[in-house]
Amino acid sequence: MKKILIINGHPNAESFNFGIAESYQKGAVASGATVETITIADLNFNPNLKFGYQKRTYLEPDLLESWEKIKRADHLVWIHPVWWGGLPALTKGFIDRLFLPGKAFQYRENSVWWDKLLKGKTAHIITTLDQPSWYYRFVYGRPSVNQLKKSTLEFCGVKPVKVSYIGIIKGSNEEQRKKWLEKVYKFGVRNK
């Protein structure tokens, strides 16, 4: 039985991203998968990695619990909007505070290389856009995907990482949103 963790990075509980997370969860549960969730906006933590890696900042209980969920999961599903080309600040802060040396990766002594401590996990990034996905990819170079997929998840050993774009959200109607939710439900059923 696959263990799936859904990480919702939208700070507004009334956003369409919450509907996406719910649809994915329903599909995954219907397939028999075990599903846990993290709603980053509900966590109590300081998103600022104040001292970088120079001085230890202790993890708050919500971050410790989140890390345990990440460790248990086989498959990570990241759901977030794209704002100013990137991740919401709270989601970025969650990553900064939690994906640390010794947890998610480990630098090798006297080397430019590192060990990837999250090997064996897979991921799916489902991101919402207010522009066509082709425009985000070819004009802007898809910075949020590069940051989360390449510079975070793959850096830490998570592979493969699938990416799905949902949008254009702005101005979409109820019928279009229903189709997107059905598509995400099917992702959940297939555990992708």
Side-chain angles (χ1 to χ4, degrees):
M1 188 180 319
K2 201 167 200 176
K3 297 174 191 164
I4 296 173
L5 176 61
I6 300 170
I7 303 169
N8 187 339
H10 201 298
N12 181 356
E14 296 177 14
S15 76
F16 187 59
N17 281 237
F18 278 74
I20 291 170
E22 184 180 353
S23 286
Y24 188 99
Q25 183 172 0
K26 286 179 181 176
V29 168
S31 78
T34 301
V35 180
E36 290 190 286
T37 62
I38 296 172
T39 302
I40 297 173
D42 291 345
L43 304 180
N44 184 13
F45 74 103
N46 180 352
N48 184 16
L49 185 62
K50 187 174 181 178
F51 304 108
Y53 298 150
Q54 295 173 346
K55 185 177 176 184
R56 183 178 175 141
T57 303
Y58 290 95
L59 297 178
E60 296 87 346
D62 283 354
L63 289 182
L64 291 171
E65 182 182 340
S66 294
W67 187 250
E68 290 303 314
K69 289 179 178 182
I70 289 169
K71 288 192 326 188
R72 282 193 295 268
D74 302 313
H75 186 62
L76 308 172
V77 179
W78 291 79
I79 298 169
H80 69 85
V82 170
W83 288 349
W84 291 107
L87 303 167
L90 195 59
T91 303
K92 176 68 167 68
F94 175 81
I95 293 166
D96 287 349
R97 289 292 315 284
L98 205 51
F99 282 67
L100 300 169
K103 284 190 173 297
F105 66 96
Q106 184 62 55
Y107 291 120
R108 295 179 188 166
E109 195 171 330
N110 300 318
S111 175
V112 297
W113 303 109
W114 65 97
D115 295 316
K116 300 175 179 188
L117 303 181
L118 296 181
K119 283 184 177 178
K121 297 182 185 304
T122 60
H124 187 170
I125 299 167
I126 303 172
T127 186
T128 56
L129 298 166
D130 278 338
Q131 60 191 290
S133 58
W134 63 265
Y135 192 84
Y136 181 63
R137 182 179 189 137
F138 294 113
V139 174
Y140 292 118
R142 64 185 203 160
S144 69
V145 171
N146 292 334
Q147 181 180 33
L148 183 53
K149 177 181 177 176
K150 295 180 179 183
S151 298
T152 304
L153 298 173
E154 289 178 353
F155 181 90
C156 296
V158 178
K159 262 191 168 176
V161 179
K162 178 180 173 49
V163 178
S164 296
Y165 299 102
I166 305 289
I168 303 172
I169 299 296
K170 183 176 67 178
S172 63
N173 60 36
E174 195 64 35
E175 183 180 331
Q176 180 59 62
R177 288 180 178 225
K178 185 178 177 186
K179 287 179 185 176
W180 287 327
L181 294 176
E182 288 170 3
K183 178 180 178 179
V184 172
Y185 177 87
K186 291 175 185 173
F187 290 155
V189 169
R190 295 192 310 264
N191 297 177
K192 291 186 176 191

